[in-house]
Amino acid sequence: MLATNLPIMLYAVPAVAGALFIIPAIEFGSRWALLCYIITALLCLILPIEREAMVIFIGFLGYYPILKMLIERLASRVVEYFLKIAAFNVAIVASYYVIIKLMGINAFEASPFGARITALVLLLLGNIAFLAVDFAFTGLIKAYFMKWRSKVRKMMGLSGKY
């Protein structure tokens, strides 16, 4: 997360950091992964990292891979996607509110199209980007099971069959 001080890393690093919680979620369960997320979120609060990246990580990208794995245990794909999109929208609106209060930045005020239209368009585009992130996390989870799991388990000293 310290790399977020480089502007190009503002969104990539929180996503990668969140993706790393896939490993403890699979190997040790969602409670351990959530504990890892909480510890990392607390470190984000005290370390000198970019505040916007911190809000993005704590507000959604940090815990989303864990939430995704829990939601995907449900039987219905329709319910899964409804819950995922609802979680994203609640988190993004709350995160934007925190960014406004924490940094005093309101990007919508300067929009020539009006604050409401700009907010709705950005939210729509954010939902499209979120679906791409969800798809990417699915690919990472598949790759972990197919390519990296045996190596990671060996490196962590975990024995036995999965």
Side-chain angles (χ1 to χ4, degrees), residues 22 26-27 69 138-150 162:
I22 291 170
I26 291 171
E27 300 302 339
M69 292 176 69
T138 298
L140 283 172
I141 292 167
K142 286 178 184 177
Y144 178 75
F145 275 106
M146 294 174 69
K147 295 181 181 181
W148 303 317
R149 189 172 192 201
S150 61
Y162 322 122

Side-chain angles (χ1 to χ4, degrees), residues 77-150:
R77 285 263 194 228
V78 173
V79 173
E80 283 179 22
Y81 276 99
F82 173 78
L83 290 174
K84 288 177 185 180
I85 290 171
F88 169 75
N89 283 289
V90 167
I92 207 68
V93 169
S95 294
Y96 181 72
Y97 180 78
V98 168
I99 287 171
I100 289 172
K101 294 298 179 186
L102 195 66
M103 295 180 223
I105 300 170
N106 189 348
F108 300 147
E109 288 177 359
S111 173
F113 304 108
R116 288 186 181 159
I117 292 173
T118 303
L120 289 174
V121 168
L122 287 176
L123 191 58
L124 176 65
L125 292 173
N127 276 276
I128 293 168
F130 162 70
L131 292 173
V133 167
D134 182 66
F135 183 74
F137 279 150
T138 298
L140 283 172
I141 292 167
K142 286 178 184 177
Y144 178 75
F145 275 106
M146 294 174 69
K147 295 181 181 181
W148 303 317
R149 189 172 192 201
S150 61

